[in-house]
Amino acid sequence: MTKEEKQRLRKEKKQQKKNKEKKDDNASQESEKEKKSVSSSSSAPQPPTQPATQKGGSSCCSLKNVHDMVQKVTLILIFPVVKRLPEHIQVDNPDVLKKLAKKLERQQIPLRLDYGYKVSLFSHLHQYSRKAPLTQQLSIPSSVIHPAIVRLGLQYSQGIVAGSNARSVALLHAFKQVIRDYTTPPNEELSRDLVNKLKPYISFLNQCRPLSASMGNAIKYIKKEISNIPSQCKEEEAKGKLLNCIECYINEKIILAAKAIAKYAIEKISDGDVILVYGCSSLVNHILCEAFEKNRKFRVIVVDSRPRLEGREALRRLVQRGISCTYVLISAVSYILPEVSKVFLGAHALLANGYVMSRVGTSQIALVAKAFNVPVLVCCETYKFCERVQTDSFVSNELDDPDDLIVTRKGKTQLEDWQQVPLLGLLNLVYDVTPPDFVDLVITDLGMIPCTSVPVVLRVKNVDL
Amino acid sequence: MELQAVLMAAGGGSRMTDLTYNTPKAMLPVGNKPLIWYPLNLLERVGFEEVIVITTKEVQKMMSADPKIKHEVKMKLDVVCIQEDGDMGTADALRHIQQKIKTDILVVSCDLITDVALHEVVDLFRAHNATMAMLMSKAYEFTETVPGQKGKKKTAEQRDFVGVDHSGKRLLFMANEADLEDGLSIRKSIMRKHPRMHIKTGLVDAHLYCLKKAVVDFLTDNKSISSIRGELVPYLVRKQFSKTTSSQKIKDDTEDQNQKKNDGHTNQELLISSRDEPLLQLAHERSCWNDHRGDMSEAYHGGKLRCYVHIMDQGLCYRVNTLAAYIEANRQASKLFEESPVHPSAVISERCQMGTDSMIGALCQVADKTSIKRSTIGNSTTIKEKVKVASSIIMHGVTIEEGCNIQGSVICSNAVIGRGADLKYCLVGNGQRIEPEAERTNEVIVGTDQLMEI
């Protein structure tokens, strides 16, 4: 290794000499040389500290030779920009895990251990078992974590509260209880202390089930509201204000947004339509029920997939209202698509590059619909818009309990001992991303926008904040 | 605060009077620790810091004197004394301490010895926002011969019929054989909502309940309910499915008229609603989860009152309320803790044969040529030479003279067994003297004062 280092240092010295010569000729290259020296000094320490990027370092040197020629034209900073990756997609990095363990220990929250063999492509994500709840390691009358949050965490990990909107509403409900029971300790300010109190709760909820984008936005909003409380405000008044803010947020962003989206969507539903929906999206169900109330004549095809089989719940809700429905599994979607006139999809989050993150299987449906030239409409409230950028479903996803895939038919459970089979891994993905080419329209409470306008909405939102 | 623990230790041990006429049930030694130590240890291990103990003055005195409880139990014990001869049922006791109860409660009985993972029961209570969650366990057949029992024990124990749904967690039906006249009748409304029901009979109720605070408030208004197990639990299970409309037709209600009147005006009081109820409703509406499938109704069939049960199929769970259970518990108690079976202060001579499954208490004196197998010897007991003790329970302060042969017996505190006595499957009461060279088999030897009590 040291030989390579010496070679590299030699090469850099040569380059520096070249730079000096050129600098004498061209005074305008002074700034570049500074950047070069900074970059060379930064890349020199790079090889000893990051042995993994050794190869990257050497290729960087050859690039620099090319770069020398181009340096007159470009002012590119070539030292790497270190982006902080979130912890939950770096599970295979032991340092990150150690940091997480330390942080949780400080907040007195137990660490939830991963379960089972993870497929190597997804080994950077957490995989938990439903049979090992986090409450096993907590004391029973939970003193560190507010009981409402423990209850919420349990409901998340057992799937009793599932679905983006439901999770956000339940989270805000729990926060209301936390705020009600909160008392400011002496010599502390509510605006700072309450935010600190919420941090361990959020870590706990994250351990129970990774936070959704909508929950993340709600938490950001709450934290902002709390820190904006003026210090001379009395505690009761401040608490009242916060509770009011939460109510308003839910009212505006979820309930009224649903009404607005339904209004726009109903314009797009005409009589005689055959609408395809996938899984159980609370928003899409709401739209369809509203459209039915407004006497539109349509029928629905509900597409469902294992292991969650959420479509059954959607089917129940629609049939209860009187809508005529058909039920298929996702393997039959190309069979049923010739009959379909529109596809309505719900979204878990809308990413900043226009990709739609939704339940696994959505991108399949969008793809097949595109192949059949059937319009795909995604319905999503603006509070689910997220500043993340993702182009594939591997980088950031959620792994559910692999034992959910095990099924017992006629008394036989074939996959019972899947952990003993050495090369077998069970993968239960929760989300996938759909590229914007497959989505024709996004219906939000701000109107009907194309998928590529999401960053514009985000920018406008940020200006508001 | 999330849960308050309430320990019911005022029970009289009515099914094992031979043991309890001198020592209250809560202080009977099991594995050389008082019975009440076991539930206290369970609560402490799980993380409780305070317990409300409802007991009699006698037990309170003995508890404060007992070294095990004083030193090993770190929790704060809030002892509430009640009259021992008063007919106070467990629900009456809850009513008595109603002022102290500020949150949901966890009620435990003093005779419960178990190693259950308590979070299983409490998780059901939390996750489903249940009104009641309880613990049950598969019943254990006691195979040891019980002293004083003549012939095979007839199943005088009334069976309990417990109906659970397909997941095995939701409690649908609970009735005791004594309350059912001709047969088991199940209401159609239950069958319509839960078409698949598993009815189990071989379960023992561990008498561990998580109850919502609203239930305690309900008890204060309904003074007719006096026992948790006997009346409150079946009432709650039935109430899950009763109509909340004005018609109060409860068909298979065999309780008295009082009950119906109470149902009428307590319908509102048992409706557990929290603040922000509409928000909770919204969250559940938007969630795509349902606890059952196959019919058109929403999660939990829209019912607010829900009862859950956790049925243990592995692990220890004993309720020490009969003599057979007491003997079995003594056998298994050593498995529950890692202390050495022989107390360091006991003086045991080298020529004593002691099995590894025996327990010797503090300050014992065991002489030469004795053989102790599968037995529990209490504190301050003296065992002289050439004594054979097998499969027996010997309590504190007992003196056993030379040459005795004790098999399968229970010898209570401060008894004296004369030399050369041969006892097989006997129960020797408190402070009794067995004359030398006595030969007793399958007898209960108690004092005359006890005989008069019965």
Side-chain angles (χ1 to χ4, degrees):
Chain A
M1 262 171 60
T2 47
K3 232 191 193 175
E4 267 183 85
E5 276 179 47
K6 282 185 194 160
Q7 275 182 350
R8 197 167 299 111
L9 283 170
R10 251 181 270 139
K11 274 191 189 167
E12 281 166 10
K13 274 190 194 157
K14 269 194 211 164
Q15 283 181 2
Q16 282 183 2
K17 271 194 202 160
K18 270 195 205 166
N19 286 345
K20 272 192 189 158
E21 286 168 28
K22 282 193 182 142
K23 183 202 167 188
D24 292 336
D25 300 345
N26 207 337
S28 64
Q29 288 177 9
E30 236 182 83
S31 52
E32 287 174 54
K33 186 208 121 196
E34 275 180 10
K35 290 204 181 83
K36 269 263 151 40
S37 54
V38 169
S39 60
S40 55
S41 60
S42 69
S43 50
Q46 191 192 16
T49 52
Q50 287 183 1
T53 52
Q54 280 287 307
K55 296 186 207 142
S58 50
S59 63
C60 201
C61 282
S62 53
L63 272 178
K64 270 192 217 158
N65 291 329
V66 175
H67 190 75
D68 278 336
M69 298 192 280
V70 190
Q71 68 183 346
K72 284 186 199 170
V73 184
T74 49
L75 283 173
I76 303 168
L77 294 167
I78 55 169
F79 55 82
V81 175
V82 176
K83 221 182 165 175
R84 262 188 63 216
L85 290 169
E87 167 284 317
H88 67 271
I89 60 171
Q90 282 189 289
V91 175
D92 52 353
N93 188 344
D95 299 328
V96 171
L97 282 181
K98 257 193 259 176
K99 253 201 250 170
L100 173 70
K102 259 196 245 167
K103 177 178 108 169
L104 289 178
E105 211 182 300
R106 225 177 346 141
Q107 295 175 330
Q108 291 177 294
I109 292 175
L111 175 68
R112 197 170 183 193
L113 294 169
D114 284 358
Y115 164 78
Y117 169 74
K118 280 192 268 195
V119 172
S120 55
L121 207 53
F122 292 93
S123 57
H124 60 284
L125 299 170
H126 283 294
Q127 181 172 280
Y128 299 128
S129 165
R130 201 158 295 141
K131 292 200 207 72
L134 204 49
T135 48
Q136 233 171 1
Q137 301 156 43
L138 282 178
S139 69
I140 291 257
S142 66
S143 39
V144 174
I145 305 174
H146 192 277
I149 303 278
V150 176
R151 172 172 301 155
L152 188 66
L154 260 178
Q155 288 178 332
Y156 282 164
S157 61
Q158 291 183 6
I160 296 176
V161 175
S164 192
N165 280 335
R167 284 165 77 186
S168 310
V169 173
L171 175 73
L172 291 170
H173 168 82
F175 274 178
K176 268 181 116 175
Q177 293 184 298
V178 169
I179 290 174
R180 266 205 206 99
D181 294 339
Y182 171 76
T183 44
T184 327
N187 304 330
E188 292 279 357
E189 266 193 36
L190 183 136
S191 54
R192 248 168 282 157
D193 188 58
L194 187 53
V195 178
N196 286 340
K197 276 260 161 38
L198 290 181
K199 283 206 185 114
Y201 299 162
I202 295 167
S203 308
F204 173 75
L205 291 176
N206 208 356
Q207 290 284 87
C208 288
R209 192 174 163 193
L211 296 180
S212 66
S214 55
M215 284 165 72
N217 287 342
I219 291 173
K220 262 193 232 144
Y221 174 77
I222 294 274
K223 281 192 177 166
K224 191 188 70 105
E225 286 297 314
I226 294 175
S227 5
N228 282 348
I229 298 235
S231 45
Q232 64 267 30
C233 205
K234 271 203 278 257
E235 187 177 314
E236 284 310 314
E237 209 184 304
K239 288 208 284 197
K241 219 160 80 147
L242 285 174
L243 295 174
N244 210 13
C245 280
I246 294 183
E247 279 285 325
C248 285
Y249 186 81
I250 295 180
N251 206 18
E252 273 172 42
K253 308 277 178 177
I254 301 179
I255 302 178
L256 288 179
K259 284 208 185 103
I261 294 177
K263 200 168 67 95
Y264 289 125
I266 288 174
E267 291 169 29
K268 290 286 174 189
I269 300 179
S270 30
D271 284 345
D273 260 347
V274 179
I275 300 179
L276 186 118
V277 299
Y278 177 62
C280 184
S281 165
S282 55
L283 189 53
V284 173
N285 291 344
H286 177 84
I287 291 173
L288 293 176
C289 294
E290 288 282 308
F292 194 71
E293 311 253 308
K294 298 240 165 50
N295 296 322
R296 293 274 197 276
K297 306 272 177 293
F298 59 93
R299 68 183 178 91
V300 176
I301 300 181
V302 179
V303 178
D304 202 6
S305 71
R306 275 198 72 226
R308 286 185 174 232
L309 290 170
E310 287 168 339
R312 296 185 297 192
E313 183 59 23
L315 186 67
R316 177 190 77 79
R317 287 178 198 199
L318 295 175
V319 171
Q320 205 176 26
R321 293 299 193 105
I323 304 174
S324 55
C325 299
T326 310
Y327 177 88
V328 288
L329 285 181
I330 194 168
S331 34
V333 78
S334 56
Y335 169 77
I336 203 100
L337 255 165
E339 300 178 12
V340 174
S341 59
K342 289 189 184 65
V343 177
F344 271 82
L345 298 172
H348 171 257
L350 236 59
L351 305 174
N353 55 349
Y355 278 64
V356 177
M357 183 176 199
S358 185
R359 185 67 81 220
V360 65
T362 315
S363 62
Q364 273 299 297
I365 302 229
L367 173 68
V368 181
K370 182 85 181 169
F372 279 89
N373 273 324
V374 172
V376 173
L377 293 90
V378 169
C379 310
C380 181
E381 298 98 333
T382 48
Y383 86 107
K384 288 184 193 162
F385 284 19
C386 172
E387 280 168 9
R388 263 206 336 239
V389 171
Q390 222 179 301
T391 51
D392 59 52
S393 319
F394 299 100
V395 161
S396 176
N397 208 323
E398 189 189 326
L399 293 178
D400 209 357
D401 190 350
D403 291 337
D404 284 350
L405 292 174
I406 301 175
V407 69
T408 307
R409 289 208 177 96
K410 295 191 186 163
K412 280 203 275 202
T413 317
Q414 307 284 17
L415 283 174
E416 209 164 10
D417 304 315
W418 69 274
Q419 306 228 37
Q420 267 75 35
V421 180
L423 294 172
L424 180 65
L426 293 187
L427 180 66
N428 190 355
L429 283 178
V430 182
Y431 298 117
D432 71 4
V433 281
T434 310
D437 332 330
F438 298 155
V439 176
D440 295 307
L441 193 65
V442 176
I443 309 181
T444 70
D445 40 327
L446 294 175
M448 299 196 262
I449 57 173
C451 233
T452 43
S453 301
V454 169
V456 177
V457 173
L458 278 172
R459 199 174 53 213
V460 168
K461 258 202 327 176
N462 285 337
V463 165
D464 280 345
L465 287 176
Chain B
M1 242 220 300
E2 193 187 356
L3 276 181
Q4 273 177 288
V6 177
L7 183 57
M8 301 278 184
S14 50
R15 277 186 270 185
M16 39 185 201
T17 44
D18 307 321
L19 287 175
T20 56
Y21 74 93
N22 212 327
T23 327
K25 182 170 83 162
M27 299 305 289
L28 279 179
V30 173
N32 292 333
K33 291 195 213 261
L35 186 54
I36 202 174
W37 183 88
Y38 291 88
L40 284 175
N41 183 256
L42 172 70
L43 292 172
E44 188 169 355
R45 256 186 299 137
V46 167
F48 276 96
E49 287 171 352
E50 292 189 354
V51 183
I52 301 175
V53 183
I54 300 180
T55 182
T56 57
K57 283 215 171 44
E58 200 185 331
V59 174
Q60 184 186 24
K61 252 192 297 178
M62 291 178 80
M63 260 173 47
S64 48
D66 191 292
K68 283 253 150 51
I69 295 182
K70 249 195 340 199
H71 299 306
E72 287 182 24
V73 174
K74 307 270 185 325
M75 303 185 289
K76 188 166 90 97
L77 298 178
D78 181 6
V79 184
V80 174
C81 290
I82 57 170
Q83 294 292 88
E84 35 192 283
D85 44 355
D87 261 330
M88 236 194 195
T90 38
D92 296 325
L94 277 184
R95 208 172 291 133
H96 185 75
I97 55 166
Q98 194 249 344
Q99 304 295 331
K100 294 187 188 245
I101 294 184
K102 310 257 180 316
T103 72
D104 305 336
I105 54 172
L106 175 69
V107 179
V108 190
S109 169
C110 67
D111 54 10
L112 177 66
I113 298 182
T114 179
D115 61 354
V116 70
L118 209 55
H119 76 271
E120 307 253 5
V121 180
V122 183
D123 278 351
L124 281 175
F125 183 67
R126 288 165 175 154
H128 297 278
N129 212 2
T131 313
M132 179 191 78
M134 56 189 282
L135 175 67
M136 288 194 133
S137 164
K138 294 234 154 56
Y140 186 83
E141 276 300 314
F142 299 127
T143 48
E144 305 274 343
T145 326
V146 177
Q149 213 175 54
K150 307 213 176 352
K152 209 163 158 37
K153 193 170 173 102
K154 57 178 170 20
T155 45
E157 303 286 327
Q158 298 283 359
R159 286 184 296 177
D160 267 326
F161 291 95
V162 178
V164 290
D165 74 342
H166 63 278
S167 69
K169 298 276 175 203
R170 179 94 189 258
L171 194 52
L172 302 175
F173 180 79
M174 179 174 276
N176 193 287
E177 200 174 339
D179 298 330
L180 306 168
E181 270 130 57
D182 288 331
L184 202 73
S185 51
I186 301 178
R187 272 196 267 164
K188 241 198 245 175
S189 59
I190 307 182
M191 293 306 294
R192 237 180 267 132
K193 290 181 183 168
H194 299 269
R196 278 178 171 258
M197 194 191 309
H198 297 271
I199 302 198
K200 307 191 185 221
T201 51
L203 294 179
V204 64
D205 183 348
H207 213 287
L208 190 147
Y209 307 107
C210 279
L211 294 168
K212 266 207 148 62
K213 182 169 184 306
V215 177
V216 180
D217 298 335
F218 165 74
L219 276 180
T220 41
D221 295 325
N222 292 287
K223 308 219 191 290
S224 62
I225 299 183
S226 67
S227 155
I228 296 183
R229 174 67 181 89
E231 289 163 44
L232 182 64
V233 169
Y235 174 78
L236 287 175
V237 173
R238 263 200 319 273
K239 204 86 175 78
Q240 284 180 99
F241 300 106
S242 67
K243 298 193 199 15
T244 46
T245 57
S246 51
S247 68
Q248 293 301 320
K249 285 200 218 115
I250 302 169
K251 286 177 237 147
D252 58 345
D253 202 338
T254 49
E255 315 256 317
D256 52 8
Q257 294 297 329
N258 233 350
Q259 193 72 42
K260 290 215 180 101
K261 253 196 280 169
N262 285 332
D263 282 352
H265 97 109
T266 58
N267 234 340
Q268 290 85 29
E269 277 148 56
L270 246 194
L271 264 181
I272 295 97
S273 61
S274 52
R275 270 148 118 188
D276 306 318
E277 185 69 18
L279 243 156
L280 208 54
Q281 275 290 84
L282 182 68
H284 276 287
E285 243 175 70
R286 296 296 167 109
S287 169
C288 52
W289 177 84
N290 205 324
D291 66 327
H292 64 277
R293 57 184 181 88
D295 65 357
M296 278 295 166
S297 42
E298 48 181 357
Y300 306 127
H301 299 278
K304 293 257 188 319
L305 216 179
R306 305 185 270 275
C307 299
Y308 284 85
V309 62
H310 172 70
I311 301 180
M312 270 175 79
D313 45 4
Q314 291 169 348
L316 286 176
C317 180
Y318 296 114
R319 277 209 65 209
V320 181
N321 51 6
T322 58
L323 192 51
Y326 177 73
I327 294 175
E328 187 61 36
N330 261 298
R331 297 266 173 279
Q332 308 286 346
S334 53
K335 296 201 188 124
L336 270 182
F337 33 83
E338 315 89 36
E339 276 177 21
S340 79
V342 180
H343 198 274
S345 69
V347 174
I348 303 180
S349 74
E350 294 94 41
R351 278 192 278 165
C352 157
Q353 280 179 337
M354 210 183 67
T356 44
D357 41 10
S358 301
M359 287 190 69
I360 314 268
L363 300 172
C364 275
Q365 285 182 0
V366 181
D368 293 340
K369 301 205 193 128
T370 51
S371 147
I372 301 176
K373 293 199 175 63
R374 291 188 76 217
S375 302
T376 311
I377 317 277
N379 301 334
S380 311
T381 307
T382 314
I383 301 183
K384 302 265 167 67
E385 289 92 7
K386 299 208 193 117
V387 171
K388 269 206 263 180
V389 180
S391 309
S392 300
I393 299 167
I394 303 186
M395 295 196 200
H396 311 303
V398 173
T399 310
I400 303 181
E401 306 281 348
E402 297 95 20
C404 287
N405 187 350
I406 300 176
Q407 203 181 342
S409 305
V410 178
I411 318 264
C412 295
S413 313
N414 302 319
V416 177
I417 315 286
R419 47 163 73 193
D422 190 359
L423 296 170
K424 288 201 181 54
Y425 306 114
C426 291
L427 192 149
V428 179
N430 224 299
Q432 294 300 306
R433 292 186 65 90
I434 305 288
E435 62 279 7
E437 308 295 334
E439 273 193 31
R440 310 287 189 105
T441 311
N442 214 349
E443 276 185 45
V444 174
I445 303 152
V446 290
T448 44
D449 51 347
Q450 203 256 333
L451 291 172
M452 282 210 288
E453 257 183 61
I454 304 171

